[in-house]
Amino acid sequence: MRIIGCDLHARQQTLAMLDTGTGEVVNRTLTHEGNSVREFYSTLPGPVRVGIEATGSMKWFLHLMEELGIDCQVGHPATIRAAEPRRQKHDHRDAELLLRLLVENRFPSIWHPSQELLDLRGLLLHHHQWVRLRTRIQNALQAIALANGLRRGSSLWSQSGQRAIASRLLATHTAQRRSELQAMYARFEAEIERLNQQVLEQAGQRPTSGLLMTHPGVGPITVLATDVFLGDPKRFRDSKALASYIGIIPREHSSGGRQRPGGLSKQGHPLLRLLWCEAAAHAVLQDPELRRFYRRKLVQKGLGKARVAAARKLGIRLWILLRDQIDYQEFCHREPMQQKSGGACAGMPGERYGANSHRLID
């Protein structure tokens, strides 16, 4: 068997390969130009195990390893770096470190999504990028309108609002900017609407997404993002592990009995946190129990922390729906003993939802 620690970069990779039969260790550097990488791995006699650090440019390499039938494990970068106390860091040492962790069965493997989930993630990220660009265009148009005495607010994006700003007599360069921004805005609106339809179609094709759509205030974009970014919901042991994975827990630097909490850790995907926060703003208007929770936190902690707390609670609810394969109505009917006075979703302040559900931490 051959075990390979691979320090993967965008242009090249450095290998430390151990032949377990002979004990020989070979160090080598491969450039990513041409077919040198495919030729090297395809000629290795099996079985072969490869370990790499998680990086943004690894997708093509993982696809190649899957195509060649090679076992490739992806490791957590922070945990891998913590295993090496020395301050000398270069490609050969990194490859040898990965090899040593593989040989000693200490390699911190992480869950990796399938190609289908990666493709759906790309769709959601593409949609989000177009929405952000449209927002910048809207801000520029709103600034032109306000600077010229047109105060329409959100109605500026209606047909009458667009006609109103188009009819304003402006200076030459300002008028040119206005016309170009309006044309860009119309194009972005059409493209975002097309992407919305794609997201809606993909959400409709996934049976788990239909369960999440039953929760009030949750739309297809949030549903699809929750499904594809979480993956297998059973890989989280409880709600605390889920919140830690998303990065919606506070940082902490405590020692000697003194607790020092900080802001959000944000050690998770920022898009999913954003979508949960946006969905929570709608869900608190439609779900009585979540609204009471939000109002209580609003008094105790203030606006910002209350929004994050509601987003965390909503995200844990969606995770429970995925994990237990139930809809919102079934979620509300859990723990019948606690719901004699109206139910958790209809007025009970209780936090537990079923024997298999974990306590939702405020």
Side-chain angles (χ1 to χ4, degrees):
M1 181 178 183
R2 283 168 172 77
I3 304 177
I4 301 176
C6 176
D7 185 35
L8 185 69
H9 294 275
R11 297 183 179 180
Q12 66 180 29
Q13 57 181 268
T14 303
L15 310 177
M17 181 173 62
L18 169 67
D19 189 337
T20 57
T22 62
E24 180 186 7
V25 177
V26 177
N27 293 289
R28 184 169 179 179
T29 300
L30 300 175
T31 60
H32 294 164
E33 296 181 359
N35 296 323
S36 59
V37 176
R38 176 183 290 272
E39 292 174 356
F40 173 78
Y41 285 100
S42 61
T43 57
L44 293 176
V48 179
R49 180 183 301 166
V50 180
I52 64 172
E53 265 187 35
T55 179
S57 58
M58 67 180 180
K59 295 180 181 179
W60 70 273
F61 184 75
L62 294 176
H63 183 69
L64 175 62
M65 295 295 100
E66 182 180 359
E67 181 182 341
L68 297 177
I70 296 177
D71 177 23
C72 185
Q73 300 183 19
V74 182
H76 195 289
T79 308
I80 292 174
R81 187 57 191 163
E84 177 54 79
R86 296 186 61 178
R87 300 201 174 196
Q88 290 81 14
K89 182 186 182 304
H90 50 78
D91 293 348
H92 289 289
R93 288 189 60 85
D94 290 343
E96 292 172 356
L97 173 61
L98 295 172
L99 176 61
R100 185 169 72 251
L101 294 175
L102 286 170
V103 172
E104 297 174 356
N105 292 324
R106 296 191 298 121
F107 191 78
S109 298
I110 61 176
W111 174 82
H112 187 69
S114 63
Q115 291 295 328
E116 179 189 6
L117 294 183
L118 287 174
D119 190 43
L120 291 175
R121 287 183 178 190
L123 172 62
L124 291 169
L125 290 172
H126 182 59
H127 175 274
H128 180 61
Q129 289 169 353
W130 277 80
V131 171
R132 290 183 63 185
L133 292 173
R134 182 186 63 180
T135 302
R136 297 183 65 177
I137 294 173
Q138 288 178 309
N139 291 339
L141 274 174
Q142 193 71 260
I144 293 176
L146 292 174
N148 290 275
L150 183 62
R151 292 167 176 81
R152 299 290 294 269
S154 60
S155 64
L156 183 65
W157 317 121
S158 63
Q159 293 184 358
S160 61
Q162 289 295 291
R163 287 194 298 267
I165 190 174
S167 63
R168 288 276 167 162
L169 296 178
L170 305 177
T172 303
H173 296 296
T174 306
Q176 182 181 359
R177 286 176 51 218
R178 174 197 58 192
S179 300
E180 293 176 353
L181 288 171
Q182 283 190 293
M184 292 172 63
Y185 175 72
R187 179 192 171 191
F188 273 68
E189 277 285 287
E191 181 64 20
I192 290 174
E193 181 61 29
R194 185 185 66 82
L195 292 174
N196 286 337
Q197 292 299 321
Q198 288 188 11
V199 172
L200 184 60
E201 292 175 3
Q202 293 298 325
Q205 294 174 7
R206 302 181 67 85
T208 54
S209 298
L211 298 174
L212 301 185
M213 286 284 288
T214 60
H215 195 291
V218 178
I221 296 178
T222 303
V223 162
L224 187 61
T226 302
D227 193 2
V228 302
F229 282 112
L230 294 187
D232 182 10
K234 295 183 179 180
R235 64 193 181 96
F236 302 103
R237 66 180 182 272
D238 53 24
S239 59
K240 291 183 179 180
L242 171 72
S244 178
Y245 177 77
I246 302 303
I248 202 166
I249 61 173
R251 295 193 301 267
E252 184 175 0
H253 187 76
S254 301
S255 180
R258 183 174 180 180
Q259 189 178 21
R260 299 181 181 89
L264 286 182
S265 68
K266 298 185 180 180
Q267 290 183 313
H269 205 285
L271 178 57
L272 186 55
R273 284 197 307 273
L274 172 65
L275 292 176
W276 280 3
C277 290
E278 292 180 348
H282 297 279
V284 296
L285 301 177
Q286 304 179 38
D287 185 274
E289 192 275 335
L290 194 61
R291 179 166 60 250
R292 276 189 296 275
F293 171 82
Y294 173 73
R295 288 177 176 175
R296 185 170 70 251
K297 291 300 176 183
L298 189 62
V299 174
Q300 295 174 352
K301 303 293 185 179
L303 179 60
K305 293 182 179 179
R307 287 180 175 177
V308 174
R312 171 175 170 167
K313 197 174 188 70
L314 174 64
I316 293 174
R317 282 186 173 193
L318 298 179
W319 168 68
I320 292 176
L321 299 185
L322 279 177
R323 185 197 61 187
D324 297 344
Q325 293 294 294
I326 59 175
D327 60 7
Y328 176 72
Q329 294 300 325
E330 177 64 23
F331 175 82
C332 292
H333 284 87
R334 294 285 184 92
E335 292 284 354
M337 293 300 295
Q338 291 190 6
Q339 300 184 24
K340 290 182 179 180
S341 299
C345 294
M348 281 292 291
E351 298 280 10
R352 294 185 63 85
Y353 302 94
N356 297 325
S357 300
H358 299 277
R359 183 170 182 84
L360 305 188
I361 308 300
D362 290 357

